[in-house]
Structure formats: structure tokens, C-alpha cells
Amino acid sequence: DQQVKQNSPSLSVQEGRISILNCDYTNSMFDYFLWYKKYPAEGPTFLISISSIKDKNEDGRFTVFLNKSAKHLSLHIVPSQPGDSAVYFCAASRTSGGSYIPTFGRGTSLIVHP
Amino acid sequence: EPEVTQTPSHQVTQMGQEVILRCVPISNHLYFYWYRQILGQKVEFLVSFYNNEISEKSEIFDDQFSVERPDGSNFTLKIRSTKLEDSAMYFCASTLSLGEQYFGPGTRLTVT
């Protein structure tokens, strides 16, 4: 049951370039989406979120784009820095009923080379 | 900056034994969660807790699991009789209002 899919297990990018991490979902009831970053031996850290009423949300170097018709979201990191090297998890939730319980993807390991 | 803490960082136990994983959520948070991540797999929701009761649980959270908030600060996950397949990272999370959650560093549970 993969309601949230991150089809690229890893991504390698040069420092200063753009990193684009992709995520697809199947459940049309999802209406709140999040990205978490995880370093080894640490728990996931919230990065950025977007509600389904928007198609873009920006926070500094991080921008999340949502394409509801395609059930696709992406995280853009510009410019990428070596400290961004981590596993990035996409998560989606359904807020109706006040749940907000996220369903996570398997993660994409981002490596940013100096 | 306040953070969620979890103890122990690593727990090794024998199959059939009971384990208690402990979490101290951020002090003014109201919603509490447990997740697990089996090695190489995705983070999976186990249970959420609000107002001193379970608000949601997944099918993973069967009768072998229980949660408690015994005082104003701790939030525990108990596994009554551990199985090999319970080996995983267990993450506690908390939040003040529904939305992004703050995760602890995790407890690695190894069942032998």
C-alpha cells in the first residue's frame, strides 16, 4: 500500500545547483503535504508544508510545488549546500475529521557534493 | 530550543520480553504520537494520543502495544511480548496544534 511514493531512492547534486525531489500520491483525499529532513541517528525534522488550496509555498532556499491534478509534489532546494545532504521524506495527510496523521514516503537520500 | 527526547537510544531485548520506550514531548504540546521505521522501509504511524486517550491507531498497533502518559511529562510505548519483527526505530513526536510534528531522535529496538 504505497499511497505516497518517492520513486528516486537517491539524488546526487553539485553544491550551488538546484535539487529537485519528487513525490507522488494516490489518495485524492490528501489535502496537506509536508517535507521532513532526516540526518543519521536523528529523528525527522519538519522542513516545509503546503495545503491543497495552494500550489506553491516558499521558505528561504526551499520551495514546495503542488500539482493536484497530477497528484504530484516536489521540493526544490536552491542553491543546494553540502549541509542539505540528508534523507528527505514526503508526507501527506487528510485533514478532514481533524486527523493530520501523515502517510510517509520511503524517502530520497540527497547528497550534495562540494 | 525545546526538543523531544527519547530513552533509551538503543534497547536490546529477547523475544517474548516486555519493553517500555520512553519519550518526553515538548512541554506545552498537546498531541503525542509514536511511529516506527523498520530498516530500509518508510516511517509508519502507530498511534496518536490527545487529552489522555488514544485518538487514532493503525492496524500495526495491536493488543501487544499500549501507550501511557503517566505524569505531565512522560509518554511511553509498551510492547508486552516482543517479536523479532518488532525490531525497528521507534520515533516519538509531539505537536501543539495539528500540523507539523516534532520528532525525537528515536529508540532503536533490537529483538533477538
Side-chain angles (χ1 to χ4, degrees):
Chain A
D1 171 21
Q2 280 203 72
Q3 295 191 69
V4 177
K5 300 178 191 177
Q6 294 178 256
N7 292 319
S8 298
S10 63
L11 176 67
S12 183
V13 169
Q14 201 70 30
E15 181 179 7
R17 306 294 291 268
I18 185 171
S19 295
I20 300 177
L21 297 105
N22 293 302
C23 178
D24 297 292
Y25 61 97
T26 57
N27 189 341
S28 56
M29 300 298 289
F30 288 144
D31 58 2
Y32 186 66
F33 305 89
L34 311 96
W35 284 94
Y36 283 85
K37 178 169 77 171
K38 185 182 179 304
Y39 293 118
E42 294 184 14
T45 302
F46 169 73
L47 201 55
I48 193 169
S49 63
I50 188 167
S51 164
S52 60
I53 61 172
K54 292 185 165 185
D55 54 19
K56 176 182 173 181
N57 189 25
E58 193 171 347
D59 183 3
R61 296 185 298 114
F62 302 92
T63 303
V64 56
F65 295 92
L66 175 63
N67 182 334
K68 288 188 290 293
S69 60
K71 295 193 181 69
H72 177 84
L73 64 154
S74 61
L75 175 68
H76 293 211
I77 307 173
V78 183
S80 302
Q81 299 173 354
D84 296 329
S85 298
V87 177
Y88 289 79
F89 292 99
C90 169
S93 60
R94 175 181 169 180
T95 60
S96 59
S99 174
Y100 282 83
I101 301 297
T103 299
F104 285 86
R106 289 178 181 268
T108 296
S109 177
L110 173 66
I111 300 170
V112 180
H113 298 282
Chain B
E1 187 176 319
E3 57 183 21
V4 177
T5 60
Q6 289 185 243
T7 54
S9 56
H10 190 190
Q11 173 87 49
V12 181
T13 189
Q14 287 193 324
M15 196 166 52
Q17 295 296 303
E18 174 184 286
V19 293
I20 297 176
L21 309 182
R22 302 182 193 280
C23 169
V24 179
I26 294 173
S27 61
N28 63 337
H29 283 187
L30 301 175
Y31 300 84
F32 313 107
Y33 307 84
W34 282 101
Y35 295 84
R36 79 173 186 192
Q37 185 182 25
I38 295 171
L39 187 63
Q41 298 189 25
K42 62 181 182 177
V43 176
E44 299 174 290
F45 167 72
L46 292 178
V47 66
S48 62
F49 194 86
Y50 171 71
N51 202 24
N52 285 318
E53 60 183 24
I54 291 174
S55 47
E56 278 190 66
K57 59 183 181 178
S58 71
E59 62 270 15
I60 302 169
F61 194 87
D62 61 22
D63 292 344
Q64 293 299 309
F65 291 88
S66 63
V67 288
E68 256 193 337
R69 189 158 159 79
D71 52 42
S73 58
N74 290 284
F75 180 49
T76 63
L77 174 69
K78 181 193 289 186
I79 310 175
R80 286 191 186 81
S81 177
T82 49
K83 303 188 280 287
L84 294 175
E85 53 266 38
D86 293 327
S87 295
M89 283 291 291
Y90 287 81
F91 294 105
C92 171
S94 69
T95 187
L96 177 59
S97 60
L98 294 172
E100 58 266 22
Q101 297 171 17
Y102 294 81
F103 283 76
T107 292
R108 179 173 298 285
L109 177 65
T110 302
V111 182
T112 61

